[in-house]
Amino acid sequence: MFDAVALFAQAYKDFSYQYEHAQRGALLPRAYDQETPWKDGVSLRNYMLATEVMGLTGPVMIDGDGVRRRFKLSVINLHQSGLARVGEWNSEDGFSELYLVKTRTREHYRVLITLTPPYAFEKNHTNTLEGNDRYEGFVIDLIKKLSGRMSFDYTFYVQKDRNNGNCKREDKTGVCQCTGIMNNILKNEVDLAITDLTITEDRQKCVQFSTAFMSLGISILFKKPQKAEATWYSFFAPFHHLVWLCIALTFYVMGAFFYILGRLCPGEWINPFPCIDEPAELHNQFTIGNALWFVMGSKMQQGSEIMPIGLAPRILAGWWWFFCLIIVNTCIANLVAFLTVEKPVVLVKSVDDLIGQTEIKYGAKEGGSTLQYFKSSKKYRQLYDQMMDPDWNEYVVKDNNQGVEFAKRKDINYAYFMESASIEYEIKRNCELQQTGKLLDQKAYAITYAQNFTKHKELNYVMSLLQESLEIKDLKDKWWNMKGAVCGESKKTETIEYTRLTLEQMKGIFYVLGVGLALSFVYTIYEFAHSIRSISKTSELGFWTIARMELRITTPLKPELSKQISLKTSSIDGTLNNLAVTTRA
């Protein structure tokens, strides 16, 4: 109130210097309920907007709406020692970060970490650093945020063997036996432990976990697929071997059909001497060799000097050419895809590919929850037994760095079982590696501490706030995708995998060719029968006799049919005359 009156007084003073009549003020009307504006009121208002005084509450100034601006408020809190200033609020920036209350005794925690990037590692600094300043990483930043929200001090300690440890609790006595980090927590040698530490049922029986700060699962770290080596038979790649077999069979089947249809079709028997009107013999171009040559020329899209003359062989040739058109173009298109597109050889698609084989080595971190998962799994117990084999034991590594080096080696194929979050970090820095297969399980990382930890609820509450405000997500993006990442995000494009065309996919064109064979064969039989019937009407021989005479011809030359019948008839008449003479004798 004092500052408000001071602001008004200063503004009125400045105003009165400009307008001498304002020094006398203005007489208000007797009827106070009537609105009688002061003619100099707007001018005084403008002076108040432009006036600033230093009052008891700091600088005093107002905006166009008469609201005070650029002021600060002290935030106080009640502690055991009394009221203490714990923060500050101003109209422009809002609430500022809480600062420490000097009168309050802050708790101090011993925080255990492991030097496992990106969770924590030593700074690469030219100057010698001491204490907590020596370390940086995801969990280092997370502890800093928790310290600011919960007002505690901390000192980092390092688990040098990077052994997260396991726990086993006796059901009868309730006594816990732990190793690694879990043992340090159990013996109260440290207060908190934060690293790539998984929440497991056995560990929860002996220690306590906070709200999870990261969700993940077990997956496989493996080399990216390499391009398949070229082979001399790569040109067979477009079709499955059954398709090639069927194509080879069609070559001989079509050769046989052209040979048969060429012999049965009357139009294929032509006069070899055009200058002679009534030749003694007729010629047929479809020998077995010519028929196969015509089929081969059509398939190779080269043609030949042999062309069908009769209607039925032409029908068959048309269907055959259509068949060759589809087969050849399909083969060329698929062959181009196979030879130009790099088709990588995928050795491991999932964990099932590793079961029951010894060519691809695999392993996990010794003493970690991943190895414990395979031990307790009924489905993948065989993998654990193999990893525990003395001849295989070298592939069960001491830490993740050793497992990553194994996976990068070119002389062996090594699959490293690892948490997906750590795999995501490694593949951003080792471009030759990738995550293979789906997640085998679902788990989470959390801060662990003793079961009698007094700040359990407060810690969980603050962790939830950090999750909701996406501050933990921002920390992950910082240490996974920004700091030291050299492999950019791979573009997710539609992956086209070229495979050999199977008989199931190509059977349609064979059905089409079968329809062409049936139509041409039926029409050939019709032409053959019609020709025999026409000749039988002008001769004394029956239909079947003439048909048998035609079917017995195996050479590409045959006597003209009418002459052949005349010769046959003369032979029959001579036989009858001989029989008559013999009878008279």
Side-chain angles (χ1 to χ4, degrees), residues 298-578:
S298 301
K299 181 176 291 188
M300 298 301 174
Q301 296 186 324
Q302 296 300 315
S304 65
E305 69 279 4
I306 303 169
M307 296 300 294
I309 300 174
L311 182 58
R314 287 185 175 183
I315 293 174
L316 182 59
W319 288 87
W320 170 245
W321 289 339
F322 177 74
F323 173 85
C324 293
L325 177 68
I326 299 300
I327 290 293
V328 171
N329 285 281
T330 303
C331 179
I332 292 174
N334 218 30
L335 183 60
V336 169
F338 267 95
L339 296 181
T340 57
V341 177
E342 294 185 3
K343 185 178 180 180
V345 178
V346 181
L347 298 178
V348 179
K349 295 182 180 179
S350 67
V351 66
D352 296 329
D353 296 334
L354 301 175
I355 300 176
Q357 59 82 42
T358 57
E359 294 182 0
I360 301 176
K361 312 301 180 182
Y362 50 86
K365 181 180 176 181
E366 182 180 3
S369 60
T370 300
L371 194 63
Q372 188 67 24
Y373 167 79
F374 288 102
K375 182 179 180 180
S376 58
S377 173
K378 294 181 180 179
K379 183 177 181 181
Y380 302 120
R381 174 69 188 213
Q382 183 179 350
L383 295 176
Y384 174 80
D385 295 337
Q386 181 66 44
M387 285 188 281
M388 292 297 101
D389 188 277
D391 296 335
W392 201 277
N393 195 253
E394 62 176 310
Y395 302 111
V396 179
V397 298
K398 299 295 182 181
D399 53 50
N400 287 338
N401 291 336
Q402 187 180 356
V404 172
E405 292 302 320
F406 266 124
K408 291 166 59 177
R409 285 176 54 177
K410 297 182 179 180
D411 56 332
I412 61 171
N413 291 318
Y414 180 80
Y416 183 52
F417 293 108
M418 194 179 188
E419 283 82 3
S420 57
S422 299
I423 291 178
E424 183 181 349
Y425 174 79
E426 293 296 340
I427 62 180
K428 289 294 181 65
R429 288 146 184 83
N430 300 282
C431 302
E432 68 273 25
L433 300 179
Q434 70 171 8
Q435 179 177 333
T436 301
K438 299 180 180 180
L439 299 183
L440 302 182
D441 65 344
Q442 294 290 334
K443 59 177 65 176
Y445 288 160
I447 303 174
T448 183
Y449 36 79
Q451 292 184 344
N452 58 353
F453 185 65
T454 57
K455 298 293 184 180
H456 173 65
K457 292 184 179 180
E458 184 179 358
L459 179 59
N460 286 342
Y461 175 71
V462 175
M463 288 289 291
S464 299
L465 292 179
L466 294 177
Q467 290 278 19
E468 292 174 4
S469 62
L470 302 180
E471 293 184 54
I472 293 181
K473 179 181 180 298
D474 293 339
L475 287 181
K476 184 179 179 183
D477 289 339
K478 171 185 176 182
W479 291 104
W480 265 256
N481 303 327
M482 298 179 186
K483 293 267 187 180
V486 296
C487 306
E489 288 286 345
S490 58
K491 296 182 179 180
K492 294 183 179 180
T493 55
E494 183 179 359
T495 303
I496 302 176
E497 183 177 356
Y498 295 97
T499 58
R500 296 185 177 190
L501 296 177
T502 62
L503 185 60
E504 185 68 21
Q505 295 171 301
M506 298 297 297
K507 64 182 180 181
I509 190 62
F510 289 97
Y511 290 159
V512 171
L513 182 61
V515 172
L517 287 173
L519 290 177
S520 59
F521 186 76
V522 170
Y523 191 78
T524 299
I525 297 300
Y526 168 76
E527 280 191 325
F528 180 75
H530 184 270
S531 175
I532 298 300
R533 184 178 180 183
S534 299
I535 296 175
S536 65
K537 288 181 179 180
T538 58
S539 65
E540 299 179 359
L541 298 179
F543 177 87
W544 295 109
T545 303
I546 298 175
R548 285 194 297 270
M549 293 170 59
E550 283 290 322
L551 294 175
R552 287 178 185 153
I553 298 173
T554 58
T555 62
L557 293 175
K558 73 173 184 177
E560 202 279 327
L561 190 58
S562 59
K563 296 181 179 296
Q564 184 181 4
I565 293 174
S566 300
L567 293 173
K568 190 72 175 178
T569 304
S570 301
S571 175
I572 293 173
D573 292 340
T575 303
L576 292 175
N577 291 333
N578 292 334

Side-chain angles (χ1 to χ4, degrees), residues 54-65:
M54 181 58 66
L56 300 178
T57 59
V60 182
M61 62 192 77
I62 59 176
D63 59 15
D65 295 327

